[in-house]
Amino acid sequence: MPSVNANGITIGYETFGDGEPLLLIMGLGAQLTDWPDGFLELLVEQGFGVIAMDNRDQGLSTEFDWDPPSQARSVLGLMAKRPPKTGYLLADMADDAAGLLEALNVDSAHIVGASMGGMIAQSLAIGHPERVRSLTSIMSNTGDRKHGGIAPRLLPAMARMPEPTRETAVERSIATFKLIGGPHWDEAAHRARAERSLARAFRPKGTNRQTAAIMASPDRTDGLRRLSSPTLVIHGLADPLVRPTGGIATAKAVRDSRLLMFPDMGHDIPAPRHPEMIDAIRRNAERAR
């Protein structure tokens, strides 16, 4: 598995195809192997050279060692609007992505991020605009704490979930996505991905550290208002983890952005919608020319 040293850490990545460079940034606790089956292949078919990366604290990228709050404590802190102490922020993770592109001699790329990956992608566009040809933010928010929050009904269930062990990680992931996935969420496909990712790496404290980074990071709205990169925002109307107002607020903040919302999408990337999503990403990329 290839890796590079960039921004003071090791970053694991994989490449697919050889077209226009497109960087994929996954979400909270996820590895590059967690992109849904077929999604990367469709991007390659659309003429992209895909770079998928592991965020810090997950997969084969550097694992940190500062002590994070538990997920339950993080959820309670979110309810009380108290940001946790943290060893890094989303902006640092965006610097990782910029460093990866530099190490790969990629001057600029189309950037696609999902959930926390969308937050990182936004931060990359704000902090390193020269690296971003176009931006796609999927099921994410602006970090303004007013839009795109968790549905209140989810908070007790999320807070009660025990910390995962290697033995329980797959079933814990499935239980989570039963709460947040949309009507097309496929348990069997998710289980296969979860098992594949578990065999590759298991970093539950990394997930808690990333959660702390999300909660401690500032509102990106003002930075988004300054963006000039062509921007596409995709969100599901059935998303209870990052409610649809997060996507709407993102699209409102970015000048001349495009908003694509699906009534049958929760906090997942549903297979029946892949062709429409990929086509929209392609059309957004064309606006950069």
Side-chain angles (χ1 to χ4, degrees):
M1 189 72 64
S3 64
V4 299
N5 294 320
N7 197 33
I9 67 170
T10 298
I11 302 174
Y13 72 96
E14 286 192 48
T15 59
F16 308 84
D18 57 3
E20 295 175 59
L22 181 148
L23 178 64
L24 286 177
I25 309 176
M26 239 304 165
L28 176 67
Q31 305 179 46
L32 63 84
T33 47
D34 287 307
W35 287 97
D37 298 337
F39 194 78
L40 278 70
E41 292 80 0
L42 286 174
L43 286 169
V44 171
E45 289 177 11
Q46 282 284 355
F48 293 110
V50 176
I51 307 162
M53 67 178 290
D54 283 328
N55 291 314
R56 59 171 62 194
D57 255 333
Q58 291 298 334
L60 303 184
S61 292
T62 292
E63 183 173 17
F64 285 70
D65 59 6
W66 49 274
D67 192 29
S70 67
Q71 179 163 305
R73 188 174 295 275
S74 292
V75 170
L76 292 172
L78 181 64
M79 295 171 69
K81 298 183 179 180
R82 290 196 303 267
K85 294 180 179 179
T86 181
Y88 58 78
L89 298 172
L90 293 171
D92 298 299
M93 303 176 81
D95 290 345
D96 296 343
L100 171 62
L101 293 176
E102 181 177 9
L104 296 178
N105 295 314
V106 176
D107 292 334
S108 64
H110 303 288
I111 311 297
V112 177
S115 194
M116 181 189 74
M119 302 172 194
I120 297 169
Q122 294 171 25
S123 299
L124 177 62
I126 293 167
H128 303 271
E130 74 285 354
R131 295 282 181 193
V132 179
R133 299 187 188 183
S134 70
L135 169 66
T136 299
S137 179
I138 304 172
M139 55 189 181
S140 193
N141 61 33
T142 65
D144 70 358
R145 308 294 187 265
K146 294 180 292 185
H147 304 96
I150 301 175
R153 65 178 174 81
L154 277 187
L155 290 170
M158 299 291 282
R160 285 196 302 267
M161 283 191 175
E163 294 289 324
T165 65
R166 184 171 286 276
E167 291 70 29
T168 64
V170 171
E171 296 305 325
R172 161 70 186 275
S173 180
I174 289 170
T176 298
F177 274 83
K178 282 183 177 179
L179 293 172
I180 66 175
H184 299 298
W185 176 72
D186 185 329
E187 180 175 342
H190 185 93
R191 181 182 296 276
R193 285 194 302 274
E195 290 174 346
R196 183 168 64 241
S197 293
L198 178 63
R200 187 170 179 262
F202 176 61
R203 295 182 176 177
K205 286 190 175 181
T207 301
N208 292 340
R209 282 188 283 267
Q210 290 179 347
T211 301
I214 293 171
M215 294 175 59
S217 291
D219 182 358
R220 294 177 296 282
T221 302
D222 286 345
L224 291 170
R225 288 179 178 138
R226 296 192 296 270
L227 294 187
S228 58
S229 303
T231 297
L232 169 68
V233 179
I234 300 174
H235 217 107
L237 290 170
D239 188 342
L241 187 66
V242 181
R243 284 182 290 179
T245 53
I248 294 169
T250 303
K252 285 184 176 179
V254 182
R255 183 176 63 255
D256 198 32
S257 64
R258 304 289 189 266
L259 177 62
L260 178 61
M261 305 188 81
F262 295 113
D264 55 349
M265 175 177 167
H267 200 76
D268 58 349
I269 302 176
R273 294 296 189 175
H274 287 182
E276 291 165 273
M277 289 184 178
I278 301 299
D279 181 65
I281 291 169
R282 176 76 264 177
R283 284 186 280 110
N284 189 55
E286 295 292 335
R287 297 167 62 205
R289 293 182 175 177

